[in-house]
Structure formats: C-alpha cells, structure tokens
Amino acid sequence: MYKYNAFDTAFVAERNRQFRAQVERRIAGNLTEDEFKPLRLMNGLYLQLHAYMLRVAIPYGTLNGVKMRQLAMIADRWDKGYGHFTTRQNIQFNWPALRDVPDMLDALAEVELHAIQTSGNTIRNVTSDHFAGAAADEIEDPRPTAELLRQWSTDHPEFQFLGRKFKIAVGASENDRAVLKAHDLAVQIVRKDGASDGEIGYRIYVGGGLGRTPMVGKVLADFIPRADLLPYVEAVLSVYNLLGRRDNKYKARIKITVHETGIETIREMVAAEFASIKPTYAGADMALLEEIKTHFTGPAFATLPEDAFDTAYAADPLFRSWVDTNVTAHKEDGYAIATISLKAHGATPGDATSDQMRVMAEIAETYAHDELRISHEQNVILPHVPRAHLPAVFAMLQQAGLATANLGLISDIIACPGMDYCALATARSIPVAQKIAERFDALKLEQDIGPLKLKISGCINACGHHHVGHIGILGLDRAGVETYQITLGGDGTETTTIGERTGPGFSYDEIVPAIERLIDAYLDVRESAEETFLAAYRRLGMAPFKEALYGGEKAKAA
C-alpha cells in the first residue's frame, strides 16, 4: 500500500487549509453558492437533494484497517453512522454539515486519505481491479501504474478545467474486473504481441462511457512501452482538451469527441502530440514508478494447516455456501480472495454502518494481512486470506450481518442512490433494488438462477451502470410518474456490450413482477443449469424475453 511522503502530506494539508478558508467565507456570506460551487467540487463536496455529500477518494480501492476505522469514526462523528461505497471505489458521506467538512478532511488526511478530484471537470479517482495483487490471472499488480497516474494527474495544471469529467481505470488481466471499456481512458497491462515472455507494456482504450450516450471504448494503441505511458496519456488529454466540446455539456465527454472526430484521426493527433511531449520526459516518471512498486510488494504469505477449513466446509452448509459463492481462487496456494457482500437482502446496496466498518477492519488486521479493497460492484474485498482463517472470518461476518452469500447473483445489485438522495435523479433506485432482492430471497431461486448482473440507475446519468447489466433498469420521470425501462444483454467484462432496450417502461409497482417474469422465462428456455442468463440471451436474442415482459401482441408492438 502506498505511503505518503513529506510532499504528499504537505500538499493535502495545504489543500485542506485553503478549503477551510473557503468554507468560512461561504458561511459568512462572503461567497455566493455559485461562487462556492467550483471550489467545493474541487474538494469532493456536492449539494444533494437534502444535504451536502462528501465523496472521499479510495485510490484504486485499497484500504487497511486504520483507514477503515477512520472512515467509521467520521461516519459516527459527522454523519449518521454509515457510509456508502460507490462504483468508483469511493465512499460517500450523505449528511455532513458544511461547517464540519474541513474537520472531516483533516481527519481523512491523518490516515492518508482525501477528497481531491472526486468531482468536477477534471481527472477523477483512478480505479483498478479489486483483485489486484491477488488474482492468479494478472500479468502484474496494476496498482503501481494506477498510483503513478494518480500522482501525475493530481492538480495537473493543464487538466483542472476540462470540458467534462475524465475517468481512468487500470487492469492487468485479460479478464476485465474494472469495466475498462466503459471509461474515458483505460490502461490495460499487456505483454507485447501476446507472448508469454513478451515485453510488458500497455494497451490504451479511449472513448468509453455510459450515461446519456453509452459507448464502448476503442483501442487507441495496442501496445506502448512502459516509458511512454505518462507522455502518451498526457497527449490523449491534450488532444481532448483541445477538441472537446464546451458548447453542450451533454456532448462534452471524450466519447463524443472520438465519435465525431473518428478514432483514426484521434490516433494521428495523439501520435503527433506524443512526439512533441515525449522529449520533455527525462526518466523521472520511470524512477518514480520503480519507487512506487516498493510499496506494493505483497504480504509475507504463510503456510497454515487447513484442517479447520475442511471440517467447517463439510459440516456447516451456510459456511459452505458462502465459500462457494463469495470466495475466489488466489494466486498463492493456501490463500483465498474473500468478498464481503454489502447487499444483504433488503439492505441498501453499498451501505456499511460504522460498526460494520470496524468489524471489517478487525478481520483484515487479524486474519487477512491488513488489506481491504472496495470493488466497483459496491462490495468489500479481503484480497489475502489464508484458507485456514476462512471459518473465523465467516463467523465474524455472520455476527455483523455481513455474511450474505450472494456474490454475482441476482441480489448482488449495483444501485445508485437515486431519488432518495440525488438531486439529479428522476426515480428511486434503492427501494427497487431492495424489493427485487427480497422477492428472490423469498422465492429461494438465487442459486438456481446462477450468475446474473442486475444494475439500476435512477436517471440517465447511469451511475448504477445499468447499460452493462445483464438486466439493466433505468428509472425515468414520465409526466410526473416514475417509469422503469429494462435493458437486456449488457456486459461490463472483457466482452463489453451495451444492453438493448426491451420496450416501454414499467411503473414502480410493476417493475418487480416484470423482473420475475424475465427470470421465469430464462429458467424455461435455458438449455441447462450451466447456461447463464447472459449466455441464454446471446443464444436466443430478445424475442422470448420480450414475450415474457409484454405478452403476444404487446411484444410485437414493443
């Protein structure tokens, strides 16, 4: 885990000092809300439907026990005793008082956390694979590259006032667990020509994004050497900053720039800009990367007897179900990657109470080499757990209400805050997610249904990633009535696909029965229990599912 140096500490302290003065001026009435808005957004502070919301960066999703405990303290002292983990590997506090925000930022700085660039038209928190450093299929740990990009982009003078926000993700596996192609720019660590012993470098994707106009990112460069990463990414940002539209915020994202300009022209312009920028890099970036790597050496893995695990697995069906569903293979023999679901049936997806945060911190410190990760799917990961410790981990999770065995199942729903919190939302998301989870828990069908990604957004901005859900739900306002559109066939992995809309939307009271009809249809048409919902949809297309949703003539008209 990266540790702040003296410069990092001083930089964050100075930013906090500046913002404290700005808050004091706002409270005193010396700044209007319009004048204060760009200043607060630079420090992660939003004005939501009912109150301010502070969005805290968790760079590439990595935490330890001390950081998690501090988040719990902040939730208790200045909020309502909980935090909301997001699809950007951030945490949001939904109820802070403006006067308390500078103290919250200082408390974050005590544990090397901040809220810089979690909002505004700038480069946002760099995200990564939540299994980074533990996955058996990665070429290398992608987090040093993500940290390099984080340091380069923080307060970069050229890119603080872009046409729109700019999101970067980093991955290091052919299996995409970071939704790379739904980002403005994505960096995939690869080997040259795909050779097992080839030079390690980067594949660059550009122009992905969801929201009003969902698009899948395109390959801009199939391979660039390590030393070219920062100048190449800087060239991409420079071209976008020049070309990106500022006359229409809905057309200002780089995906529109790529679409309107053409990927070939963008590639040529980036190449020309790169040729100009590259000579200004004298190697300090590569020296910094090597220094950063020393912070990510991994834990001292131990070999422990697994008798207790074998006994518990054979004797306890609840433990066995949790292991089979929430535990993933680790690159190290005798270890596992354990996912803590924040999707208990009927709970708000992504929420964790301060007590639950402290339990997760204790588990990490006691049993999992003091590492935690936040996933873009709004869950918490223990990346390095000796299999021998899994029974003890499970027991502590059970006591905290965190042992739900539903990773990747229909109740493991991504959901934005929706109209319960967000000023931009046009429909509720959280209650819909809760009702769907409760319904399928009551039916006891989750395990039979198998892997299924269901994602819900409360407005067209798509913070719930509904476009890449196997089943996506988009809540809209139609003449003052909440209406929920359904999309099918989306995918946020290495085979990224934008879901296809089924037809007319459903009312709030109709949406859960509609999802149940979809699932009944899938169970009827699948070839075997091994054929997933997404595989069945790809094999059969829309027709049988539209029939289930709308019935005969209505399905034809839809």
Side-chain angles (χ1 to χ4, degrees), residues 47-69:
L47 185 57
Q48 293 285 71
L49 192 61
H50 307 293
Y52 284 104
M53 177 269 282
L54 180 66
R55 179 180 292 158
V56 177
I58 302 175
Y60 35 86
T62 296
L63 289 170
N64 60 11
V66 168
K67 294 177 193 289
M68 185 69 93
R69 289 179 192 279

Side-chain angles (χ1 to χ4, degrees), residues 211-243:
R212 185 178 296 268
T213 310
M215 294 185 179
V216 176
K218 298 176 173 63
V219 175
L220 185 64
D222 194 59
F223 183 88
I224 62 170
R226 279 197 195 277
D228 290 350
L229 178 64
L230 286 192
Y232 194 87
V233 172
E234 185 168 329
V236 174
L237 266 295
S238 297
V239 169
Y240 166 55
N241 209 13
L242 177 67
L243 292 183

Side-chain angles (χ1 to χ4, degrees), residues 57 92 102 106 165 304 351 356 403 462 504 521 533:
Q92 295 180 178
D106 283 346
K165 58 189 173 183
L304 301 175
D351 277 10
Q356 288 175 328
F533 180 92

Side-chain angles (χ1 to χ4, degrees), residues 3-136:
K3 296 290 294 179
Y4 278 16
N5 58 27
F7 173 84
D8 298 321
T9 301
F11 173 82
V12 173
E14 176 60 19
R15 280 292 297 263
N16 290 354
R17 187 196 63 78
Q18 292 174 3
F19 190 56
R20 182 179 292 276
Q22 291 160 358
V23 169
E24 289 172 356
R25 291 168 64 200
R26 173 69 185 115
I27 292 173
N30 296 324
L31 287 175
T32 67
E33 175 54 32
D34 286 344
E35 291 169 332
F36 183 57
K37 181 178 179 180
L39 302 175
R40 64 172 167 79
L41 290 178
M42 292 174 69
N43 292 279
L45 188 63
Y46 287 75
L47 185 57
Q48 293 285 71
L49 192 61
H50 307 293
Y52 284 104
M53 177 269 282
L54 180 66
R55 179 180 292 158
V56 177
I58 302 175
Y60 35 86
T62 296
L63 289 170
N64 60 11
V66 168
K67 294 177 193 289
M68 185 69 93
R69 289 179 192 279
Q70 191 78 336
L71 294 176
M73 184 279 290
I74 290 170
D76 280 338
R77 184 170 179 181
W78 292 298
D79 206 274
K80 293 190 176 183
Y82 74 97
H84 177 73
F85 292 100
T86 79
T87 56
R88 292 294 303 162
Q89 297 179 313
N90 299 309
I91 185 171
Q92 295 180 178
F93 295 106
N94 289 316
W95 302 100
L98 178 57
R99 66 180 176 276
D100 293 332
V101 172
D103 290 337
M104 296 171 74
L105 294 176
D106 283 346
L108 290 168
E110 291 173 5
V111 294
E112 302 180 354
L113 289 173
H114 62 80
I116 299 168
Q117 292 180 206
T118 58
S119 181
N121 294 336
T122 185
I123 300 169
R124 298 288 187 88
N125 182 38
V126 178
T127 61
S128 189
D129 183 348
H130 45 267
F131 290 171

Side-chain angles (χ1 to χ4, degrees), residues 22 158 170 221 315 380 548:
Q22 291 160 358
E158 188 177 349
V170 183
V380 178

Side-chain angles (χ1 to χ4, degrees), residues 7 25 57 83 108 127 144 146 156 230 252 295 302 352 360 422 443 461 474 535:
F7 173 84
R25 291 168 64 200
L108 290 168
T127 61
H156 194 297
L230 286 192
H295 296 267
M360 290 187 282
C422 182
L443 293 171
N461 290 309
L474 168 61

